[in-house]
Amino acid sequence: MKILTTPLRTAFILMSMLLIFPNALFSQGTTGDFKNSVKFNVTNTLLYDNSYQFSYERIIKEDQSLNVFVGYQEFPLITVDLSSNDAFSKNHSRTGFSVGADYRFYLGSINKFKGPRGVYLAPFVSFFQFSTDREIIHTDPNTNVQSNINLSSKFNLTNFGGELGYQFVLWDRFVIDCVLFGPSITRYKFNTKLDGNVPGLEDNEVYQKVIQAIKDKFPGIEGITGDEGIEKKGVQSVTAVGFRYNISIGYRF
């Protein structure tokens, strides 16, 4: 699963950058006086389908900056085992977006150059929302007549946390921004709904299978029930520890 391998993929990309651009990364001169950076999140393309996330960083004062991001991404299609008479069709639609911000403190005590280059610490907040509509085809075992119903799923993540990162500046204009470690308190909310009624297809059973399949995509919350037992039909909320890792590339101006 893509999400489970994120730390390894992030480490691999970072090591690749170190090997490809050793001189540019470690033989750096004085940083030019550019207060703005625009960046593209590379890691998100490994996590989600059709992902496009961009960020903008602005130097507020010496060694401090505000970094905001917004993006579009689709959650990977999940597969759940239904009854032998039910199956997902190929018809589906997916949407999703993300928005967030972090306020960075570049550590002048250990960095050779002033920000936005070097090690930084930052509190952050972010919000992700994914929506998926899928069609289920039900075949009546007695008449072989088929009927269609729609399964709608919405999945939200709200994150509050802190991050440790390092931003490289190459040739004074280009940046590689690496969030190395970003623990957070994450609120997961799952909402599923069946539009239609099929005899023999238990709504709540389908809901729980879909919710569990989504939860299985995220390490650390697989066995947690909503609100330590507070749960209602088709809706579940989970508070757990999450982690943020990403690598972005960008341009300074």
Side-chain angles (χ1 to χ4, degrees), residues 70-126:
V70 64
Y72 173 88
Q73 61 275 312
E74 298 172 359
F75 197 79
L77 284 177
I78 60 173
T79 300
V80 297
D81 294 326
L82 301 176
S83 70
S84 59
N85 300 315
D86 305 296
F88 285 107
S89 76
K90 294 183 179 180
N91 296 328
H92 66 267
S93 64
R94 294 180 291 169
T95 61
F97 71 90
S98 58
V99 63
D102 57 75
Y103 193 88
R104 300 183 173 187
F105 298 88
Y106 288 89
L107 305 185
S109 59
I110 63 175
N111 291 330
K112 184 177 180 181
F113 304 101
K114 64 180 182 179
R117 174 181 292 175
V119 179
Y120 61 83
L121 296 173
F124 72 86
V125 59
S126 62

Side-chain angles (χ1 to χ4, degrees), residues 107-223:
L107 305 185
S109 59
I110 63 175
N111 291 330
K112 184 177 180 181
F113 304 101
K114 64 180 182 179
R117 174 181 292 175
V119 179
Y120 61 83
L121 296 173
F124 72 86
V125 59
S126 62
F127 177 79
F128 292 75
Q129 179 173 286
F130 305 93
S131 298
T132 303
D133 287 309
R134 300 190 69 182
E135 184 181 60
I136 298 177
I137 300 176
H138 173 77
T139 303
D140 189 296
N142 297 318
T143 64
N144 287 327
V145 175
Q146 291 187 336
S147 56
N148 300 335
I149 59 175
N150 186 69
L151 174 65
S152 300
S153 302
K154 183 176 289 186
F155 176 36
N156 298 338
L157 297 88
T158 305
N159 306 284
F160 297 92
E163 64 190 23
L164 166 68
Y166 193 100
Q167 184 156 257
F168 300 97
V169 177
L170 288 70
W171 306 294
D172 209 29
R173 284 284 192 175
F174 299 95
V175 297
I176 302 175
D177 186 11
C178 307
V179 176
L180 305 175
F181 181 64
S184 67
I185 299 298
T186 301
R187 182 73 168 178
Y188 303 84
K189 184 174 182 180
F190 315 91
N191 193 321
T192 62
K193 179 182 179 182
L194 280 173
D195 294 325
N197 183 32
V198 173
L201 186 63
E202 175 57 40
D203 289 6
N204 200 52
E205 180 182 353
V206 175
Y207 295 152
Q208 295 311 311
K209 285 183 177 181
V210 171
I211 289 173
Q212 187 59 46
I214 296 175
K215 289 165 65 176
D216 287 344
K217 292 282 187 180
F218 291 84
I221 67 168
E222 298 94 329

